[in-house]
Amino acid sequence: MAAPRQAYVDAFDLGAEESDAHFASGGVAPGRTANPRAADPYGSVTDWDTGSFETGEPSLPETEEQADGKARKGWAFTGIAAAAVTTVLAVVVAGQVASGQHDAGARTQAAEDGGGRATQDSASRGDDRPTQSGAPNVAAAPLTYDQQMARTYPLGAKLKASGKFDAVPGVAEAPGKGRKYTYRVDIEKGLGLDGELFAEAVQKTLNDQRSWAHGGARTFERIHSGKPDFVITLASPGTTAEWCAKSGLDTTEDNVSCDSASTERVMINAYRWAQGSTTYGDKIHAYRQMLINHEVGHRLGFGHVTCDKDGELAPVMQQQTKFLDHDGIHCLANPWAYPGS
């Protein structure tokens, strides 16, 4: 390989003094006018020539010594310019690398967060996006009648509520053609139970062909105003006891319901309605049907009876809340007056 030209060596072999003086003066040779473009570090390197700048005066002939000095200084300027450009490029590249690392980090974080956008993007949290559980924010479907009737509800065995009643709004026409009985449904204020569910259960139960409507003998109609044949009332244990006592009945010993015959009210003990009984276990729907049929049966004139043989269905007028077994006979739970229908 050929040795480097002396001019290259001389260009990069400037003395410390000359180099310092050059940078201190802004890179302008003594006796020359500053090039306005020299202040721009991003200017084209090809614009930085070693000839005279445009001053409007013709260039003078140069001596050999002047030419040689000028050449050496030109190479110095070229070297310095190259170094400056290299520095600028290094800064730009470093900035791009740093930016690229930042962008890559943001993309990585976004990927880890499960989306194509950075987590700082508020648009990634729109209302139509899934919830944190991953499932859409959809309201649960309301329970059906059968589902509600299969549930127990919290209510204390010794509760005494307000003693005041509200009639459940709405009416339900008698569906049959037999002897029509009208009734109103009342619920005690402050009870915390669903009066509409209770009213629906009464209408469906009484007009079932297994109930007192059997064979078209009777039909039952719920009214909201006017004079009914009876008022079927859902009340706390304490209030139930008060109304049953008006007809000489004690419901406190077993916390039961009653037909308060000397009044207009058929009393359904809300504790039993909400919690059921041990005789029916978890068959709370059937137990509620038995409660309605048993107490309305008293209003219709039927008294207490029991099953006669072991393994028979208990009559609906048996006190099934209290017992299923008697005198060595085991009776089966039954909510209907005419269960075989």
Side-chain angles (χ1 to χ4, degrees), residues 305-326:
V305 293
T306 61
C307 72
D308 296 327
K309 296 179 181 179
D310 191 58
E312 283 186 342
L313 291 177
V316 75
M317 297 311 297
Q318 182 171 315
Q319 293 177 293
Q320 294 181 58
T321 295
K322 295 181 178 182
F323 64 90
L324 288 175
D325 300 337
H326 70 94

Side-chain angles (χ1 to χ4, degrees), residues 78-119:
T78 301
I80 293 168
V85 171
T86 301
T87 301
V88 170
L89 289 175
V91 171
V92 172
V93 170
Q96 290 176 341
V97 170
S99 177
Q101 290 174 343
H102 175 74
D103 292 343
R107 288 192 297 272
T108 301
Q109 182 64 41
E112 290 174 352
D113 289 338
R117 288 182 286 189
T119 57

Side-chain angles (χ1 to χ4, degrees), residues 63-83:
T63 64
E64 182 177 350
E65 182 179 353
Q66 289 174 329
D68 183 64
K70 183 177 180 181
R72 291 205 304 167
K73 290 180 179 180
W75 286 114
F77 280 116
T78 301
I80 293 168

Side-chain angles (χ1 to χ4, degrees), residues 120-253:
Q120 290 87 349
D121 184 1
S122 60
S124 67
R125 293 183 173 87
D127 292 338
D128 57 345
R129 291 174 67 84
T131 61
Q132 290 181 353
S133 65
N137 190 14
V138 179
L143 296 177
T144 64
Y145 168 77
D146 287 334
Q147 289 172 330
Q148 292 180 79
M149 289 290 286
R151 298 177 62 187
T152 59
Y153 300 93
L155 196 138
K158 297 181 179 181
L159 176 66
K160 172 66 170 70
S162 65
K164 298 179 180 180
F165 305 102
D166 279 331
V168 177
V171 298
E173 293 184 0
K177 297 180 180 179
R179 161 77 162 88
K180 185 169 77 172
Y181 290 85
T182 60
Y183 69 94
R184 189 179 76 234
V185 173
D186 282 2
I187 185 169
E188 187 175 6
K189 293 181 179 180
L191 201 55
L193 294 176
D194 188 343
E196 292 184 0
L197 175 65
F198 177 66
E200 184 178 4
V202 171
Q203 180 71 3
K204 286 184 174 181
T205 299
L206 292 180
N207 286 293
D208 192 294
Q209 285 301 301
R210 294 169 292 179
S211 183
W212 302 114
H214 176 71
R218 305 172 188 86
T219 187
F220 298 87
E221 180 170 293
R222 179 163 72 95
I223 63 175
H224 181 256
S225 59
K227 179 67 176 176
D229 292 311
F230 60 91
V231 179
I232 188 163
T233 307
L234 185 63
S236 65
T239 301
T240 296
E242 286 182 357
W243 278 85
C244 292
K246 293 179 181 183
S247 298
L249 302 171
D250 182 6
T251 61
T252 59
E253 183 176 351

Side-chain angles (χ1 to χ4, degrees), residues 272-320:
R272 292 299 182 185
W273 175 265
Q275 294 290 307
S277 69
T278 57
T279 53
Y280 270 72
D282 61 356
K283 297 178 180 179
I284 187 66
H285 189 164
Y287 177 76
R288 288 168 180 158
Q289 292 168 325
M290 186 276 294
L291 273 183
I292 294 167
N293 282 325
H294 182 93
E295 301 306 338
V296 172
H298 282 309
R299 178 63 56 156
L300 297 175
F302 296 95
H304 288 146
V305 293
T306 61
C307 72
D308 296 327
K309 296 179 181 179
D310 191 58
E312 283 186 342
L313 291 177
V316 75
M317 297 311 297
Q318 182 171 315
Q319 293 177 293
Q320 294 181 58

